[in-house]
Amino acid sequence: MKMYQRAGIMRPAMELRRFRGCMLGAAVGDALGAPLEAMSRRQIQDTFNGTVNRYVSSARHPRLSLGQWTDDTALSLATGEILISKGEVNINEIGFAMRMAFTLESFRGYGLTTRKAFNDTNHKGRGIRPSNGAAMRIAPVALFSCHDLDSLASNVINVSRITHPHPDSIDGALAVAFAVATAARGELETNGLIEQTIEFLGPQSEMGYKLREVDDLLQADISTSHGLEHIGTRGYALETVGSAFFAFLKSPESFYNSIVEVINAGGDTDTIGSITGAISGTFNGVEAIPR
């Protein structure tokens, strides 16, 4: 009985450090990557005289000062606040909260698909793109539903569709959510994560094929920089999520290494940094994030 009581006390504490690691890790990765967005690896090196491993000023986001986040974190916070206040995944409330975040702080760099969804009430998925805007804000849903994979899947799909109904966008969000939820439960095993994620997605999904490519590169033991170049770091969900998984699994116990590698690869650096930070932060806990 004493052991059971002790475990009952310790489990919430363990989950809390992972929950905090997830949300803070995502914000840190976002803020570190934001100034490098849309630059190539060479451009980053030339502009900042080498590797960026600190907060730097952003020409792309002039209204963001050092260490400030972009739309990735703003939409995640909007989602998380509704989950906390309502105690359920209320799609209408989450959609409204995200729209308000966009309206009040449109300067945070919202993507084209998200802007279309918020500006056009009759959007109905017209001209949808397989972008990463659902995967970047899905972490709070993963934490909320981490103990029930069935509800995790349905909640992720419904929340993703608010702005990103493309199948690849949804599958990217599902992959990230599965990794975060598994880490939040303390059950993430790095050598089995990709296979388990593919099983969760279904073997025929494009995201599943991309993750197999990631696994092949991990087995080949190539450098992180070459692996990220091969996977791609543009704003497509398959590339973004694939690169985040790769960066995390190349150095799973080092939040610092994963984030620094992925933001210096160039491309959609704030979102890949945010997703990598969410997974690594959940897995390693908040104390693993350098002060």
Side-chain angles (χ1 to χ4, degrees):
M1 175 64 88
K2 288 182 179 179
M3 289 181 64
Y4 175 79
Q5 289 176 334
R6 183 173 177 80
I9 294 171
M10 290 178 64
R11 177 171 166 177
M14 291 294 287
E15 289 188 351
L16 184 58
R17 59 179 280 274
R18 296 189 186 105
F19 277 44
R20 286 174 169 165
C22 177
M23 296 301 293
L24 183 59
V28 167
D30 177 11
L32 283 166
L36 318 182
E37 187 181 8
M39 301 174 73
S40 68
R41 181 182 293 275
R42 175 59 63 84
Q43 287 174 326
I44 292 170
Q45 292 174 341
D46 291 345
T47 302
F48 298 100
N49 297 316
T51 298
V52 174
N53 60 0
R54 64 198 185 283
Y55 295 117
V56 295
S57 59
S58 173
R60 184 177 178 85
H61 301 286
R63 293 185 61 181
L64 300 181
S65 58
L66 294 182
Q68 286 196 325
W69 59 67
T70 71
D71 57 321
D72 301 50
T73 303
L75 294 178
S76 295
L77 290 174
T79 301
E81 287 167 358
I82 295 301
L83 295 174
I84 292 169
S85 64
K86 300 298 180 181
E88 63 178 358
V89 180
N90 186 309
I91 300 303
N92 290 332
E93 293 282 355
I94 291 173
F96 179 78
M98 291 198 301
R99 187 186 297 273
M100 287 300 298
F102 166 71
T103 301
L104 294 173
E105 296 182 326
S106 59
F107 62 86
R108 290 197 182 274
Y110 287 83
L112 177 62
T113 304
T114 300
R115 295 200 308 271
K116 281 185 175 181
F118 290 155
N119 284 325
D120 181 7
T121 56
N122 296 313
H123 179 51
K124 303 299 183 184
R126 291 194 299 271
I128 61 172
R129 301 164 65 242
S131 50
N132 54 24
M136 74 183 194
R137 57 175 170 79
I138 208 64
V141 178
L143 298 177
F144 185 83
S145 305
C146 68
H147 290 292
D148 185 343
L149 291 185
D150 289 335
S151 68
L152 174 69
S154 61
N155 288 337
V156 168
I157 291 169
N158 290 333
V159 172
S160 297
R161 284 176 174 162
I162 295 172
T163 55
H164 287 71
H166 193 285
D168 289 352
S169 299
I170 294 173
D171 282 347
L174 284 167
V176 173
F178 179 81
V180 169
T182 304
R185 297 193 308 272
E187 298 175 2
L188 191 156
E189 297 180 0
T190 56
N191 59 359
L193 175 62
I194 287 183
E195 194 63 42
Q196 291 170 2
T197 306
I198 294 171
E199 182 178 353
F200 179 69
L201 293 171
Q204 303 305 315
S205 71
E206 291 297 323
M207 190 71 247
Y209 289 128
K210 191 67 173 181
L211 289 176
R212 291 214 179 277
E213 177 187 327
V214 170
D215 196 36
D216 290 342
L217 292 169
L218 289 167
Q219 299 303 321
D221 197 30
I222 65 175
S223 68
T224 306
S225 59
H226 284 105
L228 293 172
E229 182 179 2
H230 186 90
I231 296 164
T233 57
R234 295 174 298 173
Y236 298 113
L238 300 183
E239 293 188 13
T240 298
V241 176
S243 287
F245 268 69
F246 184 78
F248 165 63
L249 290 171
K250 282 293 284 186
S251 50
E253 296 182 355
S254 175
F255 180 93
Y256 176 90
N257 287 346
S258 293
I259 295 296
V260 170
E261 286 282 3
V262 83
I263 65 170
N264 282 277
D268 198 357
T269 47
D270 59 328
T271 296
I272 304 177
S274 181
I275 293 173
T276 304
I279 298 173
S280 183
T282 313
F283 179 71
N284 291 295
V286 67
E287 67 277 7
I289 302 172
R291 287 191 174 275

